[in-house]
Amino acid sequence: MPSMFFITTSMGIANPVVPLHAKNLGATYTDLGLIGVAWSAPYCFFPVLAGLWSDRIGRLKVFLVGVLMSVVVPLLLLASKSPLDIALVRLFHGVGLSFLWVTGEALISDVTKEEERARHLGLFNASWAMGYFIGPMISAFTIEHVGYVGVFWLSFYVSLASPLVLLLAEGDVRPRQSTRGEVTVRVKEALSKGSAFYLAVTASSIVMSIIYSVYPVYLRELSFTDSEVSFIVGVMAAARVAGFWFTTVAPSLSEKRAVYLGLSLQVIASILVLLVRDIASTALAVAMAGYAVGVLVPASTSAISRTLGREFGLPLGIMESMFGVGWVVGPGIGGVLADCTSWSPSPYLFMALVSVASLAYFVMKSKY
C-alpha cells in the first residue's frame, strides 16, 4: 500500500497539468482525446496478460515492473515538445499502469477471506486514491511558482520513493490458484457471470476519463485558473478516497446495493457537471462523481473476484481491461464531440447518458 500511495501521488502531481501542457503545445480537443486514448489503449489488453503473468511468477515482481515504468514518465513528459510526444509518453505509461492495479487487487484477494475482501480492497483503493488526492493539491499550490517543468520534476522525485519501499518488502505472494483450462473459455465464463459489474466499472471509467482528459481545458475556457483546475481534480480524488473508506466502515452493505448507490450518485453527478459553471458547484459535482466511483469499485471488484472461484488474476485482469475500454471510449468520443459540435458541454451530455444507461442495465440484470 505505501508503494502504491507514492506512485499515485506522483501521478496526481503531474496528471492535472498534462492536458493543459498539451494545449499550450498546440493540442486541439481531438488531440486531447487522442492523448487520453493513447494512455488507455494498452489498458484494454495488458491487464489480462499481467494477471496471468502474476499468477505464474508472483505478484510483487509484476507490480515492480509497473512501478519502474511509471517512475520515468515525468522525465519523458519534460522532454516532450509536441502533442504527439505527449501521446507517446501516455501510451508508454498505459502499459506500465497495466501491471499495477490488477496485481495489487489479486494480491489482496490472495491474502484475505471472502467475507473481508471488499473491506480490504477498499483500504487498498483508499491508499492509491489518497495519492491522487494529495498529488493535485501539491500541484495546485506549486504550479504558479514553478510552472509545468517544476511540477514534472516534483512528480519524478516523489515517484522514487515507490520502488524503494517495494524493494524493502521481503519475499513475494504466490497465488493460491492459477488459471486452469483454456483462457478464452474462462474469459467468456467470467464475463457471463459478472457482466453487470463489468459494465458498471466500464461506465464509471468513461465518466472519470472524460473529467480527467477533457474537462480541465473546458474549465479553463470558463475562466478557471490552472490552480483552480488542479484543485477541482484534487476534490474529486478526495471524494473518491471518502467513497473507498465508506466501504471499509459499512461492510454490511451488500455489493449490489453499493453498486446501486454508486451508479445513482454517478447519474446525478454527470447531470450536475453538464450544468454547473462556478467553482463551488463544480467542486460539488466532481466530488459526487469521485465518491460514486469510490463506493462502486471495491464492491464490483469483490464480486468479480469470485466469478472463477479462487482464480483471481484472470477475472481481475479482465476488470482492469474494462477500465481501459472506458478510458479509450471516454476521451475519444468526448474529444471529438467537443471539437465537432458547436455546443462545448456535449461531452458531458454523453457522460450523463452513459451513466443513466449503466444504472438501467444494472437494475435489469439484478432482477435475474
Side-chain angles (χ1 to χ4, degrees), residues 191-219:
L191 289 173
S192 175
K193 291 181 178 179
S195 62
F197 293 99
Y198 281 123
L199 187 64
V201 164
T202 306
S204 71
S205 66
I206 290 174
V207 170
M208 297 301 287
S209 67
I210 291 176
I211 292 176
Y212 271 114
S213 300
V214 181
Y215 198 50
V217 174
Y218 173 69
L219 290 178

Side-chain angles (χ1 to χ4, degrees), residues 61-91:
K61 294 183 182 69
V62 178
F63 189 83
L64 181 60
V65 172
V67 167
L68 293 177
M69 292 181 71
S70 298
V71 165
V72 302
V73 165
L75 299 180
L76 296 175
L77 288 170
L78 280 167
S80 298
K81 303 299 181 184
S82 69
L84 176 60
D85 291 342
I86 293 178
L88 293 174
V89 173
R90 297 301 251 179
L91 182 69

Side-chain angles (χ1 to χ4, degrees), residues 12-13 16-17 20 133 135-141 143 216 219 225-235:
I13 292 171
V17 304
L20 304 177
F133 160 61
M137 293 295 104
I138 295 173
S139 180
F141 286 113
I143 190 171
L219 290 178
T225 67
D226 288 353
S227 294
E228 288 171 336
V229 171
S230 291
F231 171 76
I232 290 297
V233 174
V235 167

